[in-house]
Each structure stands twice: as structure tokens, then as C-alpha cells.
């Protein structure tokens, strides 16, 4: 279910460059618990150095792309009231809820629970 959900959301990334391709693949890698540079290099069939160099040419980095994908998926996961914040943190590759909460606040200036309550409750 989560793999399908993340795949659908990654279709939002229609960029025809390496960052766009990486974004599309990161959703699937996160669902498998492998959202890291080595896994991305395997999927993209690039060396680590080539990935770094090409992303730099596009004025981004692996970490920036990963954070962008996590930010989009976090909101999408929060819209599913069946998922608890800890589950969402794990789906996004965070080891604990505290790290996820800190990251979410840096993206949206509000904790995930408050975001869910304010913007997603009907």
C-alpha cells in the first residue's frame, strides 16, 4: 500500500533531469528502507562521484533532493489518518519521531501533529 502511495506521489516529479529521476526513485527506495546514496547509485547505474557531480551541475545534492521528497511524502502520509507519526517517520527513513518532528518543523514551521490537526482535519 505504501509503495503504491509513494509511487503515485512521485509522479508529481516530472523533471527531465537527474534530480527528477532521483526523486522518482527515492520514493520506492524509501518504501524498501534503502533511501541512501549507494542504493540510489545502483538504481541509477551511476558511480557515487558521477551522481554527486551531476547533481552539483544541477545546483543540488543528494541530501537536498532527499529532503524535498521527504517533505512532500510527509504531508501525503499525514493525510492518511490510519498512519501514526512514528509510522510516518519510519516510512521516511527516520530512526525516531523526534528527528522526523524536527525535520518537519524545518520544512513547514509547525510540528506534524499540529499540521495534521490544522490543515488536514475535516
Amino acid at each position: 500500500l505504501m509503495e503504491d502511495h509513494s509511487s503515485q506521489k512521485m509522479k508529481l516529479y516530472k523533471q527531465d533531469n537527474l534530480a527528477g529521476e532521483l526523486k522518482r526513485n527515492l520514493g520506492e527506495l524509501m518504501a524498501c528502507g534503502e533511501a541512501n546514496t549507494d542504493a540510489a547509485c545502483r538504481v541509477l547505474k551511476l558511480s557515487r562521484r558521477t551522481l554527486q557531480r551531476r547533481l552539483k551541475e544541477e545546483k543540488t545534492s543528494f541530501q537536498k533532493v532527499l529532503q524535498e521528497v521527504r517533505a512532500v511524502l510527509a504531508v501525503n502520509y499525514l493525510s492518511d489518518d490510519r498512519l501514526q507519526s512514528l509510522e510516518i517517520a519510519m516510512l521516511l527513513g527516520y530512526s525516531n519521531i523526534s528527528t522526523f518532528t524536527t525535520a518537519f518543523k524545518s520544512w513547514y514551521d509547525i510540528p506534524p501533529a499540529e499540521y495534521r490537526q490544522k490543515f488536514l482535519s475535516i
Side-chain angles (χ1 to χ4, degrees):
L1 175 67
M2 294 287 82
E3 230 173 288
D4 290 339
H5 192 264
S6 65
S7 294
Q8 290 173 359
K9 297 307 174 188
M10 288 300 102
K11 288 179 185 173
L12 298 173
Y13 298 113
K14 300 262 189 224
Q15 296 171 301
D16 290 332
N17 58 16
L18 181 60
E21 189 175 348
L22 178 59
K23 287 175 184 178
R24 288 186 293 273
N25 285 292
L26 278 173
E28 293 174 24
L29 290 172
M30 273 189 243
C32 299
E34 291 192 335
N36 58 56
T37 308
D38 292 333
C41 288
R42 277 193 310 274
V43 169
L44 297 170
K45 296 180 173 78
L46 297 172
S47 70
R48 180 184 281 259
R49 182 65 192 122
T50 299
L51 177 65
Q52 290 171 340
R53 188 182 73 254
R54 289 185 52 197
L55 288 173
K56 186 176 181 179
E57 288 169 3
E58 295 177 15
K59 298 185 178 16
T60 192
S61 68
F62 179 83
Q63 285 303 315
K64 286 179 186 175
V65 172
L66 178 61
Q67 292 307 314
E68 289 173 18
V69 171
R70 282 176 167 167
V72 169
L73 287 177
V75 170
N76 289 315
Y77 289 151
L78 283 169
S79 68
D80 185 343
D81 59 0
R82 296 171 297 175
L83 294 173
Q84 300 297 316
S85 290
L86 179 58
E87 293 171 305
I88 295 169
M90 296 298 157
L91 285 169
L92 296 176
Y94 291 103
S95 58
N96 59 58
I97 196 162
S98 175
T99 308
F100 166 61
T101 300
T102 301
F104 193 91
K105 284 167 59 175
S106 75
W107 303 324
Y108 300 106
D109 296 322
I110 188 171
E114 192 176 333
Y115 184 95
R116 182 179 258 172
Q117 184 180 24
K118 273 188 173 181
F119 299 108
L120 302 175
S121 59
I122 297 173

